[in-house]
Amino acid sequence: MMFLAPTAALVAAAIGLPALAVLYLLKLRRRPVRVSSTLLWQQAHDDLEANVPWRLARPSWLILLHILLVVLAILIIGRPAVGAGSGAASRYIFIIDRSASMSAMDGVGVDGVRVSRLEEARRRALKIVEDSMRLGRDIEAAVIAASSESRALLPLSSDRRLIRSAIESVTPSDQPLDLDEALRLAGALLGSQGDDGAETEAQPRTAALIIVVSDGAVGGDGVVAPSGSSLRLERVGPSPPLEGEAGGFNGQNAGILTMNARRDAENPASVRVFMELGNAASTPVERVVTLLLDGVEIQRRGVLIPSASPAGVGRSSLTFDLSTRGGGLLDARLEGSDILAADDRVSMLLAAPRPPSILLVSPELNAPGGDPAGAGSDSLSSEWLLESILTELKPAQLRVERGEPGLRLARGAPGMFDLVVFNGITPQGAIPVPSIVLGGGMPGIGIVQRGPQTEGQREFVLSWARAHPLLRDVSLDTAYGMSSSGLILDVPAAASVVPLALGATAPMMVLAEVGGVRHVISSMGVDDSNWGIQVGFAIFLSNAVDFLTLRSDEQARSAIRIAESIEVDVPPQTSTAVLEGPERREITLPPQAAGGGERRVSLGRVERVGVYSVNPPEARPSRVAVNLMDPLETAVQTSAFIRIRGRSGESLASAGEGLPREITAQLLVAMLALLVIEWIAFARTSRV
């Protein structure tokens, strides 16, 4: 069915058709002329008949062509549109997709200029409104901005200015699309009583038409249209490839799909970063990935990402290794340019490990009167050395105890201490937390210190596990023990023991693990060896504290996907939480009962990817990294239809079906062709 603006068409017809008739009814006033032959009388007679006033003109091809030209001119002035059938909608719901893929820069703007898909979507929606209102029908329209959180920008309104303003106010978002939520909101705007009835024969295209202006990348197995409405897709972006060509993927885009960080099980100070990348193009692409920590470049790697396939985007993985005890902002950047920027960067807050609480247990001083002389002086010297080194490691707490009180604290350490260091003292019972024993054994797990074979004999370290994280960068070439010659191992089958340093006759340092608790035991102490005065001893203590207190299974990161809500723990009596970053959000919190402790609050979902800070600064976490990491959005896929689910089965919302389409351009071409034909016909009839 064809529609046109009736007022303009009627005015044009009222002027054009009478003007054509008047031009044909006008008669020429001829002067008498003598002719040289009677053969010309017949032609003169015809001319006289043609100029008789109020006589109809003889039918001719020229008259028909002129009538057709006038009719075409009238239609062009009326700007006709075809489509929409006999049941043209009187109420429109515009669902404008503003998800991440709609920011892809492959949309078509005015004069073919490349713009974002969202900009093309706004232009298309405005054109539909203009075309529909120009037809002279009374229509209402509502506007919904759709992403993972859809918003109604305008309820049903017939105000052309408000409709246009609402469409133009749709802003881009990095969120994925949840079309079902947008359709539920559309049903609410229409006053629908249900949301599970797709278009049926009992509900043909009536008053409500939902127009989804999108690239069609919906995902899933279909959507549910509100009852009493029709669903149509106005597709933007490039045309989908032919079936079988790269599985429907045609976007020149690559992005980071996932990123994770984990501390190494053997060396928790080492962080391993895993990354997966995707490619939506029909050909493989080679890109460079840069990893930064707090803005400082750590590594740069090249990667070849395979082309897309019918199973989805092409995928490739990448691994980075970095060494850090602390934390910071970890950034992965995909260098180069493509049509979508939101998936080219992923940020992650690498949390610094919690500083450990350490208990240092030394022997009691045995000098009379408490005077640190004789045997006690060595203990004081070694205690001072250990305390100095451990203090430089900046623990959360360092407590020094001697003798039996220290042993009792060590046996009850869970919840109080993360690490116990025994200086020249042998714990008799089981120790429930990780420990370091220097100059002793651990009989509770079957490791005892063997006495000296020869008085004053030095026991040198002959070999050690240089690659083990505990002895990384540690040299034991000249280290020896004075009063002991090694360790005797008689551990149960449930225990795991790894020799770290070997003497001539027995192990001198071992790593034991019992019930998931690790213990480092060395027969060389600070008082009875030369190890304590070597540089490698301080390095060993630093490695041991990291190895025993850092948790390798801890996902030391803080990063979420943009579709997830941000949740933080705020201090008691916090009245306002503020989120600062690519966008700002301020949330007023409900009052808290007196005496209440820390509470968890939700700050909702943000619209743009990036790193956000949380106020108050005492909130945990105080910073949050928000990333896209969505394969469907990275695919920047386009589709020619949306699958609709309903009680009557499945149907398809095809691109543009049921929408009025202006044909002014086609009529102009037809008019130009008729003008050429008319000129040729007139030239032929004018020949003598």
Side-chain angles (χ1 to χ4, degrees), residues 649-675:
E650 291 189 349
S651 57
L652 300 179
S654 300
E657 181 185 339
L659 300 178
R661 298 290 179 181
E662 189 172 322
I663 57 172
T664 303
Q666 292 86 338
L667 293 179
L668 282 171
V669 173
M671 187 175 183
L672 180 61
L674 284 179
L675 283 173

Side-chain angles (χ1 to χ4, degrees), residues 267-539:
N267 179 17
S270 175
V271 178
R272 180 159 293 174
V273 181
F274 302 93
M275 206 175 302
E276 188 177 33
L277 302 102
N279 175 26
S282 57
T283 57
V285 296
E286 190 170 358
R287 301 289 290 270
V288 174
V289 180
T290 303
L291 187 69
L292 303 95
L293 182 62
D294 286 335
V296 178
E297 183 176 322
I298 302 298
Q299 294 181 47
R300 182 186 290 257
R301 300 269 302 276
V303 60
L304 180 65
I305 313 175
S307 60
S309 68
V313 295
R315 296 174 183 255
S316 181
S317 59
L318 203 58
T319 304
F320 291 91
D321 289 304
L322 64 149
S323 180
T324 176
R325 293 187 69 251
L329 179 64
L330 200 63
D331 263 326
R333 297 178 183 175
L334 191 63
E335 305 294 347
S337 60
D338 49 36
I339 62 174
L340 183 63
D343 57 357
D344 290 342
R345 177 176 178 178
V346 172
S347 300
M348 179 178 297
L349 288 165
L350 189 65
R354 180 177 59 87
S357 295
I358 302 176
L359 172 64
L360 175 59
V361 182
S362 295
E364 291 191 14
L365 300 178
N366 298 321
D371 183 16
S377 63
D378 289 339
S379 296
L380 272 179
S381 176
S382 62
E383 182 181 289
W384 172 84
L385 177 63
L386 287 170
E387 186 175 356
S388 300
I389 295 174
L390 294 174
T391 301
E392 288 299 318
L393 299 179
K394 296 180 173 54
Q397 176 190 5
L398 177 59
R399 183 170 176 178
V400 181
E401 294 289 345
R402 297 186 181 90
E404 187 57 33
L407 291 172
R408 283 198 299 269
L409 274 177
R411 287 192 289 269
M416 297 178 60
F417 300 100
D418 302 303
L419 176 67
V420 180
V421 180
F422 295 97
N423 172 34
I425 189 169
T426 298
Q428 297 301 317
I431 305 300
V433 296
S435 66
I436 303 173
V437 180
L438 300 172
M442 189 170 285
I445 60 174
I447 300 177
V448 297
Q449 186 178 22
R450 187 168 64 175
Q453 303 299 306
T454 304
E455 189 67 28
Q457 179 71 32
R458 296 178 179 179
E459 184 78 17
F460 284 87
V461 177
L462 298 183
S463 65
W464 66 95
R466 301 170 188 266
H468 197 280
L470 280 165
L471 298 177
R472 186 181 63 251
D473 301 325
V474 175
S475 175
L476 298 176
D477 286 322
T478 58
Y480 59 82
M482 292 289 295
S483 61
S484 66
S485 57
L487 300 170
I488 299 175
L489 309 181
D490 186 17
V491 297
S496 170
V497 176
V498 177
L500 298 175
L502 300 176
T505 59
M508 300 181 68
M509 184 190 303
V510 297
L511 169 65
E513 183 172 346
V514 182
V517 181
R518 292 171 171 174
H519 306 278
V520 179
I521 303 163
S522 172
S523 63
M524 294 184 296
V526 179
D527 296 330
D528 56 2
S529 74
N530 70 337
W531 192 25
I533 62 174
Q534 296 185 4
V535 176
F537 180 71
I539 299 175

Side-chain angles (χ1 to χ4, degrees), residues 1-48:
M1 183 174 181
M2 185 172 71
F3 300 89
L4 73 161
T7 303
L10 288 175
V11 171
I15 296 174
L17 292 175
L20 178 64
V22 169
L23 289 174
Y24 266 92
L25 291 176
L26 286 177
K27 307 304 177 182
L28 296 176
R29 188 179 297 276
R30 301 181 183 274
R31 59 187 178 86
V33 177
R34 291 185 179 186
V35 295
S36 60
S37 173
T38 59
L39 294 176
L40 301 175
W41 289 358
Q42 183 61 39
Q43 182 177 354
H45 181 268
D46 293 341
D47 287 342
L48 287 173

